[in-house]
Amino acid sequence: MWRNNNMAKGLFIFDGNIGMAPELRWQPGNEKSGGEARPLLKFNVKYDRLVKTQNPDQPYDDKGGFWVSIDYWGRDAEALSKLLQKGMRVRIEGELRQDTWPDKDNPSVMVSGMALTASLIAIMPQRVQSVTLKERTQPHQPHQYGQTS
C-alpha cells in the first residue's frame, strides 16, 4: 500500500481495474519541490458499480460506472510504475474532481471526466499470480561498544 500524506480534503475511495499501462513522467522542479524534478504516475481506473445478485450464472450486475484519470505524485511513483499493469485490480484513495483536458485524438477538442489525485494506491490480490521481493541490502553495521578488535 502506498500513501502520499499530503491529502486533507474529502476522500473518495474505490476499487477498480487499471485500463491502460501506467505512464511515469518527470515534472520539472519548482518552488514547491525545492527545484527537484518530481515523478508523476498517470493511469486510469474503471470505477465499477457491481451489485451482487442471486443468479449463480451472473453473480454481479453492472449498475454502471465511469473511468477515473489518476495522478500520483508520491515518492514511490517510480517503483509503482514498475509494478502496476493494465487489468490489475487496485484500491485508490484521493481527492476526486471533475476535470477537462484536450482529446488525445483531436487536441483542439476538450473532453471532461473524473480525475483523482491519489494519496493511496493498494494492489488488490485478484489476478496477481506471484510476488517477488528484491534482496535486502545489509545496512552498515555500527561499531559495537565494548568490542575489542
Side-chain angles (χ1 to χ4, degrees):
M1 187 163 38
W2 289 268
R3 183 181 295 270
N4 180 353
N5 290 319
N6 295 331
M7 295 284 134
K9 299 177 183 176
L11 293 178
F12 181 67
I13 302 169
F14 72 103
D15 292 356
N17 292 339
I18 297 175
M20 62 183 247
E23 176 187 348
L24 181 67
R25 300 177 184 173
W26 287 92
Q27 300 301 105
N30 59 21
E31 288 179 27
K32 187 176 181 181
S33 70
E36 294 283 326
R38 298 180 308 155
L40 169 61
L41 188 61
K42 296 184 76 61
F43 58 100
N44 63 8
V45 175
K46 175 73 184 284
Y47 169 66
D48 45 20
R49 292 184 46 225
L50 300 177
V51 177
K52 200 162 187 63
T53 69
Q54 301 299 318
N55 182 352
D57 295 329
Q58 184 181 349
Y60 293 96
D61 187 19
D62 187 355
K63 296 293 186 181
F66 51 89
W67 286 97
V68 181
S69 176
I70 307 294
D71 292 340
Y72 181 73
W73 291 91
R75 270 189 202 125
D76 43 15
E78 190 171 9
L80 270 174
S81 73
K82 297 172 185 171
L83 293 173
L84 298 179
Q85 299 174 25
K86 179 180 178 178
M88 185 177 275
R89 187 111 179 132
V90 290
R91 176 164 292 155
I92 305 287
E93 177 181 302
E95 182 186 353
L96 187 66
R97 66 189 179 282
Q98 183 74 26
D99 210 350
T100 58
W101 55 87
D103 184 86
K104 68 176 183 176
D105 296 324
N106 188 356
S108 63
V109 174
M110 297 299 285
V111 294
S112 66
M114 302 309 290
L116 183 138
T117 301
S119 57
L120 178 133
I121 299 173
I123 298 171
M124 306 305 285
Q126 296 90 333
R127 299 190 63 202
V128 173
Q129 186 170 348
S130 68
V131 176
T132 304
L133 299 177
K134 66 181 177 180
E135 289 289 324
R136 226 181 227 194
T137 58
Q138 290 294 332
H140 174 66
Q141 296 295 323
H143 178 71
Q144 297 293 320
Y145 292 103
Q147 268 187 342
T148 57
S149 301

